[in-house]
Amino acid sequence: MITDTSHSLFEKAKSYIPGGVNSPVRAFKAVGGNPLFIKSAKGPYLYDEDGNRYLELINSWGPMILGHAHELIEKAVKDAVSSSLSFGAPTRKEVEMAELITHMVPSIEKVRMVNSGTEATMSAIRLARGYTGRAKIIKFEGCYHGHGDSFLIAAGSGAVTTGVPDSAGVTKGTANDTLTAPFNDLQAVQTLADANKGNIAAIIVEPVAGNMGLVLPQPGFLEGLRQLCTKEGIVLVFDEVMTGFRLAKGGVQERLGVLPDITTLGKIIGGGMPVGAYGGKKEIMDFVSPVGPVYQAGTLSGNPIAMSAGLAMLHYLNTHPEVYTQLENIGNKLVSGFTENLKKLGLSYTINHIGSMFSIFFTDKPVVDFDSAKTSDTVLFGKYFQAMLNKGIYLAPSQYESLFLSTALTDEHIQTILQANYESLEEILVKA
Ligand SMILES: *Cc1c(COP(=O)(O)O)cnc(C)c1O
């Protein structure tokens, strides 16, 4: 019997799948080496096709906030499967899901389910355009909103990692309607708004940015966007695909107390299944078809298996506020340990952190926007990534990603990670 390894699978994959992967960052291009092919996962551990076990800090880019193969979610999916996988007709679960989301996320009064974060942001922007009758949008450099044409302008993470900040295949017309400003730069936004008065449909922002590494909004930034949008009749869209149900039950808007007009959701909302959603004020959401003129549809939207997984996840988070205290504690322990390690080694790299998300940037400059994120030494990051992997710790394979923690991490796991962090830094820097 021939046993496949990650290496042989990747070689084969490259013959049949562009680059061997179904999403670019997975190819490990930014860190070198070949990607690991994952066979299974349980709690905080990933198991690859080569028989190795890794403690992981990505958690499927966020959704596995309770760790892998959590029994509640597993049971919800198993129970749903025997009633058929899809109907393409309304179900009770969709109503329960919508009710729960509007209860949990402060600014959402009505919500539409879709199948990915990308679909959510594309639909949200179409809605903002239909609602305002305006064409242009403002986005921020280094913010990623999925792979919709309008967003592949200064798009962060995957796009930066592969060195293609602006994608081929996006027309000039589309690019012209997308204006960009540096994250945390209110003055730049004001200047764009003044120069395009009456033409801006939406400002879309990751209210805590996680796709150029983790970058926090400076005090007053989100409040300033809110004020400007209210004054100019611009729709404020918070892309909470990453942060929703993670940084608080109700996302960044609850945690920092600034409310958008439309919110986009993904990742955790599906409990690991492909799900997204966009929602907001009734007045705006009622512009969506079939009540309003903005068309948006989906054969598998609100899929019963996906809704079952998502409902189990959200219901658990909604009824267990201690999850968020636990995530804060895990985040604080890891980040203070990392900070101490840097200090012991006489290094002054920047760590950005909020709740269960953090990034180490290999730069001594504060990281407040995409330009400062790019001062990081990405070659060094690649070495650090490989050193950690050798010690059984699986990180996001790019400097321009945040790490995502789960409640499956115990104090013992945290000690293992901190020890690996110290040894890896020592290996790549001090001894080199
Ligand atoms: C992941 C992500 C998306 C895209 O979601 P997909 O499900 O990958 O299409 C959009 N916005 C943000 C902020 C994200 O982190």
Side-chain angles (χ1 to χ4, degrees):
M1 196 182 85
I2 300 166
T3 320
D4 284 321
T5 60
S6 288
H7 184 76
S8 69
L9 284 169
F10 190 49
E11 287 310 308
K12 196 168 170 185
K14 283 191 284 190
S15 309
Y16 301 112
I17 306 172
V21 292
N22 281 317
S23 200
V25 177
R26 295 180 197 168
F28 276 28
K29 283 222 156 151
V31 290
N34 284 335
L36 302 179
F37 280 61
I38 305 303
K39 193 171 189 174
S40 67
K42 181 72 186 167
Y45 291 112
L46 285 181
Y47 299 87
D48 69 9
E49 293 280 356
D50 314 288
N52 301 309
R53 186 183 80 169
Y54 298 91
L55 259 178
E56 76 135 332
L57 298 177
I58 313 180
N59 287 295
S60 189
W61 305 94
M64 300 302 168
I65 192 166
L66 304 176
H68 287 278
H70 191 280
E71 57 209 9
L72 267 178
I73 292 157
E74 197 180 316
K75 181 173 184 314
V77 170
K78 281 186 175 155
D79 287 350
V81 162
S82 57
S83 303
S84 183
L85 302 186
S86 178
F87 315 116
T91 61
R92 177 199 304 264
K93 279 182 187 142
E94 292 166 284
V95 187
E96 289 174 12
M97 185 72 159
E99 193 177 13
L100 187 52
I101 293 168
T102 57
H103 172 76
M104 290 174 80
V105 185
S107 71
I108 297 186
E109 294 173 352
K110 282 192 178 183
V111 62
R112 173 60 65 84
M113 302 307 301
V114 292
N115 305 289
S116 69
T118 294
E119 226 187 297
T121 55
M122 288 190 325
S123 308
I125 289 302
R126 184 183 304 140
L127 173 57
R129 286 175 167 149
Y131 177 73
T132 58
R134 302 171 180 178
K136 292 189 187 297
I137 63 166
I138 297 177
K139 78 174 283 286
F140 294 91
E141 291 160 16
C143 280
Y144 178 69
H145 304 294
H147 65 86
D149 284 2
S150 306
F151 305 121
L152 290 178
I153 321 287
S157 64
V160 194
T161 296
T162 55
V164 193
D166 300 326
S167 171
V170 175
T171 65
K172 263 194 196 135
T174 300
N176 285 342
D177 281 336
T178 302
L179 310 171
T180 63
F183 193 73
N184 274 322
D185 189 343
L186 265 184
Q187 189 51 54
V189 180
Q190 185 68 57
T191 304
L192 287 174
D194 290 344
N196 296 275
K197 216 171 171 53
N199 292 319
I200 296 176
I203 296 179
I204 184 166
V205 66
E206 292 178 67
V208 163
N211 284 291
M212 46 180 148
L214 181 72
V215 180
L216 302 183
Q218 290 178 335
F221 176 59
L222 297 174
E223 291 82 353
L225 293 180
R226 178 65 276 174
Q227 271 171 16
L228 175 70
C229 285
T230 303
K231 184 160 148 267
E232 302 289 341
I234 298 169
V235 175
L236 180 60
V237 182
F238 276 6
D239 182 353
E240 296 228 43
V241 168
M242 235 177 216
T243 54
F245 314 108
R246 173 167 287 280
L247 293 182
K249 184 162 72 81
V252 176
Q253 55 195 275
E254 177 192 320
R255 186 165 178 138
L256 301 182
V258 181
L259 299 188
D261 302 305
I262 300 179
T263 303
T264 55
L265 297 164
K267 300 191 168 114
I268 291 175
I269 202 174
M273 296 290 285
V275 180
Y278 64 106
K281 289 181 182 157
K282 275 184 197 152
E283 181 203 329
I284 300 178
M285 291 307 291
D286 280 342
F287 262 67
V288 177
S289 186
V291 273
V294 174
Y295 193 70
Q296 185 271 311
T299 302
L300 294 177
S301 293
N303 172 270
I305 311 303
M307 290 305 98
S308 299
L311 256 180
M313 173 66 87
L314 297 196
H315 182 69
Y316 186 84
L317 295 175
N318 189 42
T319 50
H320 292 78
E322 73 277 7
V323 164
Y324 294 98
T325 321
Q326 204 184 339
L327 288 167
E328 293 293 309
N329 287 337
I330 294 169
N332 288 338
K333 281 180 192 166
L334 273 173
V335 169
S336 55
F338 276 44
T339 307
E340 216 171 282
N341 286 346
L342 289 174
K343 209 166 147 194
K344 274 192 230 157
L345 292 163
L347 301 167
S348 51
Y349 297 135
T350 297
I351 299 181
N352 284 352
H353 169 220
I354 180 169
S356 59
M357 295 172 74
F358 72 101
S359 292
I360 308 185
F361 293 93
F362 285 81
T363 175
D364 55 9
K365 302 207 168 48
V367 175
V368 297
D369 59 14
F370 193 32
D371 278 344
S372 43
K374 282 191 291 190
T375 64
S376 295
D377 184 339
T378 52
V379 173
L380 206 54
F381 175 83
K383 289 182 185 165
Y384 171 70
F385 172 87
Q386 295 294 350
M388 289 291 272
L389 198 63
N390 278 333
K391 298 179 204 328
I393 314 292
Y394 190 84
L395 304 175
S398 163
Q399 169 75 87
Y400 301 111
E401 303 287 357
S402 174
L403 297 174
F404 301 99
L405 306 176
S406 84
T407 53
L409 291 174
T410 63
D411 281 349
E412 206 182 317
H413 299 132
I414 291 172
Q415 282 317 311
T416 307
I417 295 165
L418 290 178
Q419 180 72 20
N421 169 261
Y422 186 87
E423 288 170 10
S424 298
L425 288 171
E426 195 178 38
E427 220 170 276
I428 62 169
L429 295 154
V430 180
K431 285 184 190 159

